[in-house]
């Protein structure tokens, strides 16, 4: 889409709790997804939900996931059953004057849908490139591409970004007036959190004269909206 | 329990993929849970899984969750249906010589079970204290406790840590020998990630002479096993 369509809430993607935090701009969905490294995939397995951390990559309005062809959760995600994929960024701890109003500042995208097993070779490569680049920008060009055996061991799933919701909380605590105006001088505010990168740790098997490339050395993890 | 019992894997809590990363020591489960701020709760709602970020707190072998009594996901979690609660820490991006072996270093705890709605007043307060202290250590003592109306609006859930699995990945990439020994000088190693706290942002409504308390100013977020 040239111009991103707004998110059209369905029954299950309508934000009911804390609806003042809901965003309906598709650009917000893209921003939350694109800033993440991992999401949490929920599938139904043997009658119970299972939630596992999962890498992903986005191309347009398609989210690509992958996993071992032998993984039960991946099989459960591709048998036509509904799945849910959630990406959350924690931006701060919200300290309030009351225990009740303690909260977190966050950005969260929740995608509902049915995953499609990608079988066409070209799209499988598009998906794997998207996944690799989301995790490690520049790595698809720099590293050896998957060979036939590796491709055979990898299931690539596609999830349409058709049904999704975004919630974002920013700003100070929402304390009651009685607590704000009361005599107790309890500190209230936000302790911002940020994900930072540390000094790269070369593989012990790497020749010592291979320099850390800029794509690793200068990498910054997106944080805070 | 005085001495933590090992995790006794059931069928669904047995780690099948990447089983060399599985830990069966209950202390590992506690460590992963205690280091987190938020988890992802998976419930089945109207026939589909829903995964939402959720705060929590642990007391012994009980995990407490909470939410608005009006939230559909909370109601779905307490009607006797199975739930899954997952806490993940992302410790590093693993750059490999091959796209296939790119990975992440992480610590992840997955808890399966059926949540129990806590109705006894004393245990509800234990749960809310655990939740508040997990998010904001020191805040339960420092801030106003929930009043009757706030308590009535809050559902407290308990989830037994009876059925859980822990996976931890650390260390360099697991590249194939052909790539390690090959002529391509592709950088490989780990880019460690860490969650840090930034300068506290006082609530605009706070009198300017209320100092930032040590529990906020000196707070460090646990990271890396």
């Amino acid at each position: 889409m040239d111009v991103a369509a707004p998110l059209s809430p369905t029954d299950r993607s309508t934000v009911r709790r804390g609806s003042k935090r809901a965003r309906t701009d598709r650009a917000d969905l893209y921003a939350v997804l694109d800033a993440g490294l991992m999401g949490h995939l929920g599938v139904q397995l043997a009658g119970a939900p299972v939630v596992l951390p999962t890498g992903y990559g986005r191309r347009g309005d398609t989210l690509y996931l992958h996993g071992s062809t032998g993984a039960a959760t991946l099989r459960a995600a591709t048998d036509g059953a509904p799945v849910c994929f959630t990406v959350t960024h924690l931006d701060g701890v919200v300290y309030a004057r009351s225990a009740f109003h303690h909260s977190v500042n966050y950005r969260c995208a929740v995608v509902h849908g049915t995953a499609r097993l990608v079988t066409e070779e070209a799209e499988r490569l598009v998906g794997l490139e998207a996944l690799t680049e989301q995790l490690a920008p520049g790595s698809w060009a720099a590293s050896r591409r998957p060979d036939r055996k590796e491709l055979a061991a990898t299931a690539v799933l596609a999830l349409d970004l058709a049904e999704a919701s975004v919630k974002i909380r920013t700003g100070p605590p929402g304390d009651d007036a009685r607590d704000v105006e009361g005599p107790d001088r309890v500190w209230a505010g936000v302790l911002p959190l940020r994900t930072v990168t540390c000094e790269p740790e070369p593989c012990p098997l790497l020749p010592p004269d291979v320099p850390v490339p800029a794509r690793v050395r200068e990498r910054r993890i997106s944080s805070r909206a």
Side-chain angles (χ1 to χ4, degrees), chain A:
Chain A
M1 283 185 278
D2 285 341
V3 176
L7 302 175
S8 305
T10 61
D11 188 56
R12 66 182 167 184
S13 72
T14 296
V15 174
R16 293 172 205 286
R17 307 307 309 174
S19 57
K20 66 178 185 283
R21 299 173 189 167
R23 306 290 176 101
T24 53
D25 192 336
R26 189 162 283 269
D28 286 321
L29 174 66
Y30 294 163
V32 171
L33 293 174
D34 293 355
L37 291 171
M38 301 283 279
H40 281 82
L41 176 68
V43 300
Q44 188 84 345
L45 196 61
V50 176
V51 178
L52 292 178
T54 307
Y56 66 97
R58 183 179 74 83
R59 284 293 180 268
D61 281 308
T62 303
L63 206 63
Y64 290 102
L65 313 173
H66 73 153
S68 162
T69 50
T73 44
L74 257 285
R75 285 198 303 270
T78 47
D79 69 357
V83 303
C84 182
F85 188 75
T86 301
V87 173
T88 306
H89 305 277
L90 203 52
D91 293 325
V93 178
V94 180
Y95 289 79
R97 296 155 184 90
S98 57
F100 185 77
H101 282 293
H102 275 68
S103 186
V104 288
N105 282 339
Y106 65 94
R107 290 161 289 150
C108 179
V110 179
V111 182
H112 307 272
T114 304
R116 163 175 65 87
L117 183 66
V118 180
T119 53
E120 202 257 318
E121 200 63 14
E123 192 186 2
R124 278 166 56 79
L125 287 170
V126 166
L128 291 173
E129 176 176 359
L131 277 148
T132 304
E133 290 292 298
Q134 181 78 22
L135 180 66
S139 274
W140 187 254
S143 56
R144 179 178 61 72
R145 302 286 166 86
D147 64 18
R148 190 174 299 271
K149 195 178 156 196
E150 291 169 342
L151 285 171
T154 306
V156 179
L157 277 57
L159 185 59
D160 277 347
L161 295 177
E163 195 177 347
S165 62
V166 176
K167 277 179 88 172
I168 297 177
R169 190 201 190 281
T170 60
D175 272 315
D176 294 354
R178 58 173 164 159
D179 295 315
V180 173
E181 294 154 9
D184 296 338
R185 293 162 53 85
V186 181
W187 190 83
V190 175
L191 182 64
L193 301 176
R194 208 151 58 88
T195 301
V196 298
T197 58
C198 308
E199 190 62 25
E201 299 170 351
C203 175
L205 302 177
L206 195 71
D209 63 330
V210 177
V212 181
R215 66 189 168 92
V216 177
R217 200 181 57 239
E218 290 166 14
R219 181 160 186 202
R220 296 294 169 267
I221 304 297
S222 307
S223 55
R224 301 192 72 190

